[in-house]
Amino acid sequence: MRKAVVVFSGGQDSTTCLIQAMANYDEVHCITFDYGQRHKLEIEIAEAIGKDLGVAAHKVMDVGLLNELAISSLTRDNIPVSHELQDNGLPNSFVPGRNILFLTLAGIYAYQIGAEAVITGVCETDFSGYPDCRDEFVKSLNQSLVLGMDRPLKIDTPLMWLNKAETWALADQHGKLDYIRNQTLTCYNGIIGDGCGNCPSCDLRREGLESYLSNKDAVMKALTDKQAANRA
């Protein structure tokens, strides 16, 4: 039996990854992290989607220590999410160490249940400048986890080279575009579906959807070409 663990936030990207995983694996587990993020609703949405899609198990893990260490607009209510970059060139929504911690813990969970893969929706094309969403980082951490646990494990990043329009096409490919649009929470201001329309996350999501809907055939072809190249 092929098993996978999806790092799951209930947002557009991780839900798209979950839908694809449900089609590709015999048993899919979700792991969601409570790190004191800006909106607890994120966890409730993740749990509801996991139940609706019929995952084998859904683990919600308290990692509140990250909130104590990492100062960001996503961990502090008094810091407004900004479109402007900070002096270090990163958006103020960057949570330092988040994916290092999340992927490591997901790897441990995968070890315990005998899963062959950890799936995450990080993306270098639309990654908002977060360094822990880069392919180079993921491959490096993957190697470290394999060495540290002495067990084969793949960190799978199905969205890594897709732009947001192609991510919407992937959801549509699985017949779940409307589900992703209406049931997920991506907005930094905690509004389900199309969101507030003003935060950086909503901007990326809206622009990608508009690009896909206005040119479906071309975007779907680009997606299928990338999928074919990845299988080759």
Tab-separated table of all heavy atoms in Angstrom, residues 32 34 38 76 79 91 106 113-114 116 123 155 157 159 203 212 216:
chain	number	residue	atom	x	y	z
A	32	THR	N	-1.418	19.138	9.878
A	32	THR	CA	-1.639	20.585	9.932
A	32	THR	C	-0.978	21.116	11.193
A	32	THR	O	-1.064	20.493	12.249
A	32	THR	CB	-3.147	20.901	9.948
A	32	THR	OG1	-3.731	20.422	8.731
A	32	THR	CG2	-3.404	22.395	10.068
A	34	ASP	N	-0.435	24.009	14.090
A	34	ASP	CA	-0.952	25.149	14.846
A	34	ASP	C	0.243	25.871	15.445
A	34	ASP	O	0.815	25.446	16.443
A	34	ASP	CB	-1.893	24.659	15.943
A	34	ASP	CG	-2.508	25.798	16.752
A	34	ASP	OD1	-2.101	26.962	16.549
A	34	ASP	OD2	-3.374	25.510	17.601
A	38	ARG	N	-2.042	33.739	12.296
A	38	ARG	CA	-2.932	34.897	12.367
A	38	ARG	C	-4.401	34.493	12.472
A	38	ARG	O	-5.179	35.141	13.160
A	38	ARG	CB	-2.688	35.755	11.124
A	38	ARG	CG	-3.233	37.172	11.197
A	38	ARG	CD	-2.864	37.926	9.923
A	38	ARG	NE	-3.243	39.319	10.017
A	38	ARG	CZ	-2.442	40.291	10.434
A	38	ARG	NH1	-1.217	40.012	10.834
A	38	ARG	NH2	-2.865	41.538	10.475
A	76	ARG	N	1.901	37.708	14.326
A	76	ARG	CA	1.624	38.842	15.213
A	76	ARG	C	0.442	39.641	14.674
A	76	ARG	O	0.512	40.189	13.566
A	76	ARG	CB	2.847	39.767	15.336
A	76	ARG	CG	4.088	39.118	15.935
A	76	ARG	CD	3.905	38.794	17.415
A	76	ARG	NE	5.140	38.298	18.001
A	76	ARG	CZ	5.542	37.039	17.976
A	76	ARG	NH1	4.801	36.122	17.340
A	76	ARG	NH2	6.671	36.661	18.546
A	79	ILE	N	0.989	43.366	13.545
A	79	ILE	CA	1.810	43.693	12.381
A	79	ILE	C	0.957	43.497	11.126
A	79	ILE	O	0.611	42.364	10.780
A	79	ILE	CB	3.071	42.801	12.284
A	79	ILE	CG1	3.927	42.932	13.540
A	79	ILE	CG2	3.885	43.158	11.047
A	79	ILE	CD1	5.140	42.007	13.543
A	91	PRO	N	9.218	39.656	2.200
A	91	PRO	CA	7.951	40.212	2.683
A	91	PRO	C	7.819	39.991	4.181
A	91	PRO	O	8.425	39.063	4.745
A	91	PRO	CB	6.896	39.408	1.914
A	91	PRO	CG	7.577	38.170	1.474
A	91	PRO	CD	9.017	38.503	1.296
A	106	ALA	N	6.852	16.557	9.518
A	106	ALA	CA	6.089	15.714	8.592
A	106	ALA	C	6.900	14.486	8.195
A	106	ALA	O	6.346	13.389	8.026
A	106	ALA	CB	5.698	16.516	7.352
A	113	ILE	N	4.392	6.155	10.202
A	113	ILE	CA	3.254	5.460	9.583
A	113	ILE	C	3.660	4.676	8.334
A	113	ILE	O	2.823	4.038	7.697
A	113	ILE	CB	2.112	6.439	9.227
A	113	ILE	CG1	2.541	7.420	8.126
A	113	ILE	CG2	1.622	7.174	10.469
A	113	ILE	CD1	1.398	8.236	7.572
A	114	GLY	N	4.945	4.738	7.976
A	114	GLY	CA	5.417	4.000	6.813
A	114	GLY	C	5.058	4.634	5.488
A	114	GLY	O	4.880	3.927	4.491
A	116	GLU	N	5.778	6.797	2.078
A	116	GLU	CA	6.934	6.947	1.199
A	116	GLU	C	7.195	8.394	0.798
A	116	GLU	O	8.271	8.706	0.289
A	116	GLU	CB	6.748	6.108	-0.054
A	116	GLU	CG	5.593	6.561	-0.956
A	116	GLU	CD	5.370	5.617	-2.121
A	116	GLU	OE1	4.885	4.493	-1.881
A	116	GLU	OE2	5.688	6.013	-3.267
A	123	CYS	N	6.283	26.457	-3.824
A	123	CYS	CA	6.389	26.773	-5.243
A	123	CYS	C	7.422	27.869	-5.440
A	123	CYS	O	7.377	28.900	-4.771
A	123	CYS	CB	5.025	27.216	-5.762
A	123	CYS	SG	5.043	27.889	-7.413
A	155	ILE	N	10.363	14.109	-0.537
A	155	ILE	CA	9.552	15.316	-0.372
A	155	ILE	C	9.104	15.729	-1.768
A	155	ILE	O	9.920	16.140	-2.592
A	155	ILE	CB	10.323	16.456	0.313
A	155	ILE	CG1	10.794	16.034	1.708
A	155	ILE	CG2	9.425	17.694	0.429
A	155	ILE	CD1	11.569	17.117	2.451
A	157	THR	N	7.033	17.966	-4.417
A	157	THR	CA	6.580	19.358	-4.569
A	157	THR	C	5.904	19.512	-5.932
A	157	THR	O	6.489	20.066	-6.866
A	157	THR	CB	7.765	20.333	-4.448
A	157	THR	OG1	8.781	19.944	-5.413
A	157	THR	CG2	8.374	20.286	-3.058
A	159	LEU	N	3.819	21.455	-7.170
A	159	LEU	CA	3.557	22.807	-7.685
A	159	LEU	C	4.837	23.607	-7.911
A	159	LEU	O	4.754	24.778	-8.316
A	159	LEU	CB	2.662	23.583	-6.709
A	159	LEU	CG	1.374	22.917	-6.237
A	159	LEU	CD1	0.577	23.879	-5.366
A	159	LEU	CD2	0.536	22.412	-7.393
A	203	ASP	N	-3.986	38.654	-4.154
A	203	ASP	CA	-3.549	39.164	-5.460
A	203	ASP	C	-3.042	38.032	-6.343
A	203	ASP	O	-3.431	37.913	-7.520
A	203	ASP	CB	-2.447	40.209	-5.286
A	203	ASP	CG	-2.970	41.541	-4.757
A	203	ASP	OD1	-4.210	41.736	-4.765
A	203	ASP	OD2	-2.147	42.374	-4.340
A	212	TYR	N	-5.967	31.955	-15.959
A	212	TYR	CA	-6.419	30.632	-16.406
A	212	TYR	C	-7.755	30.711	-17.136
A	212	TYR	O	-7.920	30.147	-18.228
A	212	TYR	CB	-6.527	29.676	-15.223
A	212	TYR	CG	-7.134	28.348	-15.618
A	212	TYR	CD1	-6.537	27.573	-16.616
A	212	TYR	CD2	-8.321	27.895	-15.030
A	212	TYR	CE1	-7.103	26.359	-17.008
A	212	TYR	CE2	-8.881	26.687	-15.416
A	212	TYR	CZ	-8.276	25.924	-16.408
A	212	TYR	OH	-8.834	24.733	-16.809
A	216	LYS	N	-7.822	29.204	-21.098
A	216	LYS	CA	-7.824	27.850	-20.541
A	216	LYS	C	-6.999	26.863	-21.361
A	216	LYS	O	-6.193	26.100	-20.812
A	216	LYS	CB	-9.257	27.325	-20.421
A	216	LYS	CG	-9.993	27.741	-19.171
A	216	LYS	CD	-11.278	26.937	-19.055
A	216	LYS	CE	-11.988	27.227	-17.741
A	216	LYS	NZ	-13.169	26.360	-17.571
